[in-house]
Amino acid sequence: MKVAIIGGGSSYTPELIEGFILRRDSLPVKDLVLVDIEEGQEKLDIIYELSKRMLEKAGSKIKLTKTLDRDQALKGASYVLTQLRVGRIEARAKDESIPLKYHRLGQETTGAGGFAKALRTIPVILSIAKDMERLCPDAWLINFTNPSGMVTEAVLKNSKIRSIGLCNAPIGLQRGLADQLKIDPKDLYVEYVGLNHLSWTKRIFVKGRDVTEELFSKDDFVEYVAGIIGGHKGAKELVAALKTIPSYYCSYFFFEDQAIQKDLDNIKEGKGTRADQVMALEEDLFKLYASPDLDEKPEQLSKRGGALYSEAALSLIESIHNNDGKMHIVNVMNKGAITGLPHDGVIETNCIVNKSGAHPIASGQLPRGSSALTKAVKAYEQLTIEAAIDGCRQTALLALVSNPLIHGADKALDILNDLLKAHKPYLPQFYSKED
Ligand code: G6P
């Protein structure tokens, strides 16, 4: 089995390496290729050396290579993992700060920030899918590049490559919930519906018993769930009415003012945007990674939001490879599993996974009180995907104005113009050669 990791120089790669080591019996990986772009060479070299030390320490027989040649990495691959950031962390800093100028949320994956990230990322991932059609047409594209739902939908609609999108949020939610209920995660089953970064835990089962009503009748449980969306005034009442667990990304929609204020305060206090904080974290991480004495994943990596994503990715590959039919919460085409969302739209939900792919389990209606928001965001996502592909400013404007975090065509236009200008080198689809 050959696995290619695109964006191999990412600081998250040691998580994946640790995962491959832990799964040596169930995932017989022979070749592991880390691939990156020229600007990422230095990081790629550091990650490669650390990964080699980790594999050697574990006595692993995996043959690890690194390359800047994507074709070479893709040739003959069975699985291609994408974990890239077009425009690197500097572009994220712009996504997070430009909308704030207009008192709108700049967030990596939701609102205007996520919109700009989608415009930059979708064409690049589609070009990878095209290369895969040529070099490894039967391989699986396992995408965790954000915005993961939109990126996966773009691939599924515009290429022949089989792809599944994933995120660490569902596994994080399940682990947190098991801790809260003081139960073994194996005894927990959640019915999880919605979109990537806009999801809802509709029903909760413990040892097969539906305990949803019982849990939401308890004040301490409602308080715990309110904490997931920030614990602001109104959160408890909202959760008690919803009787469902909103993912923490829902807090950006329910408590938008507070989220904007927090970002503005952080900037005022010199803490910068999350991108600035991540840059500092990454600097420390890479210093640590470069030390020849380090031969395991350092604890510090857990300070990044993507913790546990290797668990999500590798257990998914394990289910495909071993045809085990286990349940995973991943991003797939809806095909009617959730009523009210488009058939041809990607959703994040429970799926049975085997070697023919991820098959969504039908769950019917979205939870009461969640559907207007979820449908609006899906409509925004579909317009954004269109705009990312055809580079049409009018479609892009319609997408932004449809986003519930934008409020108003005047703001949408200003933010769109600023974002397109700031990211011009990464948005060739929006600029003709003369521009
Ligand atoms: C979350 C999300 C990921 C995202 C990450 C950002 O956990 O689920 O999709 O990439 O946070 O974390 P960061 O440390 O980069 O802010």
Side-chain angles (χ1 to χ4, degrees), residues 213-234:
E213 303 287 329
E214 192 181 315
L215 287 175
F216 280 97
S217 69
K218 290 184 188 153
D219 198 58
D220 60 340
F221 187 73
V222 171
E223 180 125 17
Y224 158 72
V225 178
I228 294 178
I229 50 170
H232 304 286
K233 181 181 167 200

Side-chain angles (χ1 to χ4, degrees), residues 172-188 190 224:
L173 176 282
Q174 292 172 87
R175 294 285 169 90
L177 186 55
D179 272 2
Q180 171 69 17
L181 302 178
K182 300 190 180 54
I183 57 168
D184 186 328
K186 288 195 195 84
D187 291 332
L188 176 72
V190 294
Y224 158 72

Side-chain angles (χ1 to χ4, degrees), residues 12 85 89 92 96 108-109 144 146 167-169 196-197 248-249 274 278 281 303-307:
Y12 283 121
R85 198 187 280 287
I89 194 79
R92 173 175 175 179
E96 289 175 341
E108 187 198 10
T109 60
F144 19 94
N146 273 324
C167 178
N168 65 331
N196 177 236
H197 289 184
Y248 66 88
Y249 278 88
R274 176 68 188 160
V278 166
L281 269 171
K303 287 195 191 143
R304 292 294 309 279

Side-chain angles (χ1 to χ4, degrees), residues 28-55:
V29 179
K30 233 174 116 188
D31 287 302
L32 188 56
V33 192
L34 306 179
V35 55
D36 221 302
I37 51 171
E38 225 173 288
E39 299 93 299
Q41 171 93 64
E42 200 187 327
K43 286 189 172 175
L44 178 66
D45 291 345
I46 294 173
I47 293 288
Y48 170 75
E49 292 300 331
L50 169 60
S51 305
K52 229 171 53 179
R53 291 193 296 274
M54 288 173 72
L55 291 168

Side-chain angles (χ1 to χ4, degrees), residues 92-100 103-114 252 259-260 263 273-274 405:
R92 173 175 175 179
K94 291 178 189 166
D95 290 346
E96 289 175 341
S97 53
I98 289 171
L100 279 179
H103 211 78
R104 293 296 181 267
L105 188 74
Q107 208 281 328
E108 187 198 10
T109 60
T110 53
Y252 294 119
I260 293 174
D263 285 354
T273 60
R274 176 68 188 160
L405 292 170

Side-chain angles (χ1 to χ4, degrees), residues 411-430:
K411 292 286 189 270
L413 185 65
D414 283 341
I415 293 173
L416 177 63
N417 286 337
D418 280 15
L419 288 171
L420 291 183
K421 200 165 154 208
H423 295 303
K424 189 175 174 187
Y426 303 105
L427 296 173
Q429 71 274 41
F430 282 92

